Amino acid sequence: MTLTDSFVPTTSGAVLDGPALWSAQAHMPSVIGRQLVIERGEGSYVFTSDGRRLFDGTAGLWHANVGHAHPELARAAYEQMMRLETYHVFQRYANDRALELGELLASLAPMERAKVILNSGGSDAIDVACKLARRHWQREGRESKQIILSREHAYHGLHAYGTSIAGLSFNREGYGTESLVPETARISFDDLAEVEATIERIGADRIAAIVSEPIQGTGGVNPPEPGYLEGLQRLARQHDLLLIVDEVITGFGRTGEMFASQRYGLEPDLVTFAKGVTSGYAPLGGVLVAPRVWEPFYLDSPDTPIFRHGATYSGHATAAAVALKHLEILERDGLVARVRELEGVLRTELSGLAQRQAGVVEARVAGFLGGVALDERIDAVRVADRLIELGFISRPLRGNTLQLSPPFIVSDQEVAEYVSAIEQTVAEETQR
């Protein structure tokens, strides 16, 4: 008997006796008894407890960029734990791995002379970045600048700030107010004139920052309209707002550059990162901070303020050791350059799919990220379930869209087979 067998409900009441684990982002009555228990991984594939081998077409949650069960990363974690599992980085304490990783990340950052705040993941990073944006303006004596602007359809994690700035309304609902943190507002995800109108309506003297994903992920894999991100940067500079770029998905090679900010010519004030910094082998995230924001906190004066950030696992030594080895692998194996090749392969395959299959409304590609938007008469959830039967993992997103973001180590043939499986399932649904 497998783990899932023991929890398959036989009546509606049996759902209440399901597993103790409360699954993330799940309608629990719908998933109890249907859960896929992943018990191991190998390269671009994962294996379930009931014996299925599945192509990981989403790289987990956009993170397994170097694939699963990489022996060098496992060894790096083991060796670091045998030396020092971790030590905190509060006040005068630090650990050598966190310091080493900070220097490397600063050298890769899309801004000059960056400082690095480390924490445990992307949601942590967004909370810190939004707090720091507000703290920046309070320190400047401009107390009214408190509002954080974020885009329609945006996803920025689910901590309090990420929930509050979500452009997916269902992630903000149910807490008694329109936004957990009230000083937030949404802007158009593709229309700069509307963005400027929103800034004028609210008043730049009340706005602390604009936060944006370079390529929207959970919102439907939406590449930016030409000039949109550059326009956001221009508006931020024009109105004296901080620009926060959320690179939790796009950072560390997913767009064919180390950061998507470099692909789109951005010079952010703050960059959030996570996922791809370790390929998910250890929970790690953080914020890259430009001099405009960090310098006042470094002045040699008793009046210099403290930015009150930090968590127990900020700068976790083992996570940092894994990140260092992972970034070494990315460079050594030429995986960022490989992403540029894979982008072309994915674009060709999805272009053909869209031309051949009437059930596909649009195929979107930016870097090694793809979104297949389906006709509204086709259920993306059902398509994703059918893909699992065929041995492939995708994920339904906003806009009836399928997510494609395989690991960087896949072959051209595997990409073609993945898209072919999507075509088969869409054709089946079209004929229903």
Side-chain angles (χ1 to χ4, degrees), residues 266-280:
L266 303 179
E267 296 180 4
D269 298 297
L270 301 163
V271 171
T272 61
F273 64 87
K275 300 184 186 294
V277 70
T278 66
S279 270

Side-chain angles (χ1 to χ4, degrees), residues 131-147 208 297 305:
K131 286 170 60 180
L132 181 52
R134 287 185 58 159
R135 185 71 181 89
H136 167 79
W137 295 115
Q138 297 301 300
R139 188 206 52 75
E140 290 273 307
R142 301 172 69 178
E143 291 84 358
S144 65
K145 291 176 75 66
Q146 300 175 7
I147 295 173
F297 294 92

Side-chain angles (χ1 to χ4, degrees), residues 226-258:
Y228 176 84
L229 294 175
E230 298 88 337
L232 278 191
Q233 179 166 265
R234 174 181 56 78
L235 290 172
R237 299 293 180 259
Q238 177 183 334
H239 294 284
D240 204 11
L241 318 175
L242 296 184
L243 178 63
I244 304 171
V245 179
D246 181 347
E247 297 240 27
V248 169
I249 289 173
T250 55
F252 305 101
R254 180 56 72 174
T255 68
E257 300 288 346
M258 190 57 70

Side-chain angles (χ1 to χ4, degrees), residues 132 135-136 139 293-299 304-307:
L132 181 52
R135 185 71 181 89
H136 167 79
R139 188 206 52 75
V293 178
W294 67 256
E295 281 183 344
F297 294 92
Y298 276 70
L299 296 176
T304 296
I306 296 172
F307 176 50

Side-chain angles (χ1 to χ4, degrees), residues 148-419:
I148 306 292
L149 300 182
S150 54
R151 295 166 68 194
E152 298 165 331
H153 315 318
Y155 179 83
H156 299 288
L158 290 174
H159 285 0
Y161 242 124
T163 297
S164 301
I165 63 175
L168 300 166
S169 59
F170 52 77
N171 280 333
R172 295 199 314 275
E173 294 170 350
Y175 300 103
T177 58
E178 198 277 333
S179 181
L180 284 171
V181 179
E183 297 87 4
T184 59
R186 255 54 60 197
I187 57 176
S188 171
F189 86 107
D190 63 353
D191 190 321
L192 286 171
E194 289 189 19
V195 174
E196 187 155 25
T198 301
I199 293 172
E200 295 290 348
R201 175 175 54 81
I202 294 172
D205 61 332
R206 299 177 58 214
I207 300 171
I210 299 174
V211 57
S212 176
E213 301 159 276
I215 300 162
Q216 291 189 331
T218 302
V221 189
N222 302 313
E225 290 295 319
Y228 176 84
L229 294 175
E230 298 88 337
L232 278 191
Q233 179 166 265
R234 174 181 56 78
L235 290 172
R237 299 293 180 259
Q238 177 183 334
H239 294 284
D240 204 11
L241 318 175
L242 296 184
L243 178 63
I244 304 171
V245 179
D246 181 347
E247 297 240 27
V248 169
I249 289 173
T250 55
F252 305 101
R254 180 56 72 174
T255 68
E257 300 288 346
M258 190 57 70
F259 291 94
S261 294
Q262 294 157 333
R263 175 174 173 137
Y264 295 110
L266 303 179
E267 296 180 4
D269 298 297
L270 301 163
V271 171
T272 61
F273 64 87
K275 300 184 186 294
V277 70
T278 66
S279 270
Y281 280 75
L284 181 76
V287 185
L288 304 173
V289 186
R292 174 189 183 186
V293 178
W294 67 256
E295 281 183 344
F297 294 92
Y298 276 70
L299 296 176
D300 187 10
S301 167
D303 298 324
T304 296
I306 296 172
F307 176 50
R308 298 290 181 178
H309 74 88
T312 301
Y313 299 132
S314 301
H316 193 280
T318 300
V322 171
L324 287 162
K325 176 56 68 173
H326 173 258
L327 294 172
E328 176 188 318
I329 291 167
L330 280 185
E331 180 178 4
R332 182 196 69 202
D333 294 352
L335 291 178
V336 178
R338 174 59 177 154
V339 166
R340 292 192 284 272
E341 298 174 355
L342 287 166
E343 177 177 6
V345 175
L346 184 61
R347 191 179 302 279
T348 298
E349 294 294 335
L350 289 187
S351 176
L353 170 65
Q355 291 173 13
R356 292 188 302 270
Q357 184 47 252
V360 173
V361 175
E362 184 182 13
R364 298 184 286 268
V365 177
F368 200 34
L369 284 165
V372 176
L374 303 177
D375 186 285
E376 61 182 10
R377 293 167 293 184
I378 297 174
D379 185 350
V381 174
R382 195 163 58 230
V383 171
D385 286 346
R386 174 63 176 141
L387 280 168
I388 289 170
E389 295 175 5
L390 296 177
F392 298 87
I393 295 175
S394 183
R395 194 163 70 106
L397 304 174
R398 186 207 70 84
N400 210 33
T401 297
L402 295 174
Q403 171 188 341
L404 295 82
S405 57
F408 300 170
I409 59 171
V410 298
S411 67
D412 295 7
Q413 182 62 32
E414 285 172 318
V415 175
E417 291 170 355
Y418 186 29
V419 174

